[in-house]
Amino acid sequence: MAYDPDNIFAKILRGEIPCKKVFEGDHVLAFHDIEPQAPTHLLVVPKGQYVSMDDFTANASNAEIVALFRAVGDLARQAGVAETGYRIIANGGPHARQDVPHLHIHILGGRDLGRMLPPAP
Ligand code: AMP
C-alpha cells in the first residue's frame, strides 16, 4: 500500500491540524487519542512516512525503530500505567481495521482492559 500524505496523522505531523502533544523527538511524535477508550489512550507515531508495522519493520532505520519503541515504554511509565499494566495495539491493514494509514501504536491503560479479543463468532 502506497503512503497517502493526506492522512490525518501526516497532517498532524506537518502541523496542519492540532493535537494534544505529549512527546516529540527526532523520529517520534506522541499525542492523546481524540476518542480515548481508556483513561490513558496515547498514540505514538514515527515521523517517517510508514503505513503500517509491516512497512516500518521492513523499511525504517534502526534509529527510527529504537526511538519508537523506547518512546512507547517511556510514555507508559510517564503516564503512570506501567505499574498497573497497559496494552499496546498497532492495527495494520483491513483485517485489523486500521483506520489511519500512518503507523501508530496505541497505549491503553488506567483501567482493566478486559480480554484481548472478543470470542470468535
Ligand atoms: P486505528 O483504527 O488503529 O487506525 O486508530 C485510529 C485512531 O486515531 C482512533 O483511535 C481515533 O480515535 C484516532 N484519531 C483519529 N483522528 C485523530 C486526531 N485528529 N487526533 C487524535 N487521534 C485521532
Side-chain angles (χ1 to χ4, degrees), residues 31-99:
F31 50 91
H32 289 275
D33 196 289
I34 203 165
E35 288 184 37
Q37 295 184 40
T40 294
H41 188 170
L42 303 177
L43 299 172
V44 190
V45 308
K47 288 188 168 179
Q49 297 189 338
Y50 301 104
V51 175
S52 62
M53 188 64 80
D54 181 56
D55 183 15
F56 186 67
T57 53
N59 298 307
S61 67
N62 288 353
E64 290 174 298
I65 292 171
V66 168
L68 188 74
F69 283 93
R70 187 74 75 191
V72 168
D74 289 348
L75 286 161
R77 281 187 292 278
Q78 284 167 27
V81 296
E83 285 287 319
T84 46
Y86 61 94
R87 182 170 296 159
I88 61 174
I89 298 173
N91 294 313
H95 276 189
R97 307 278 189 104
Q98 181 180 8
D99 287 328

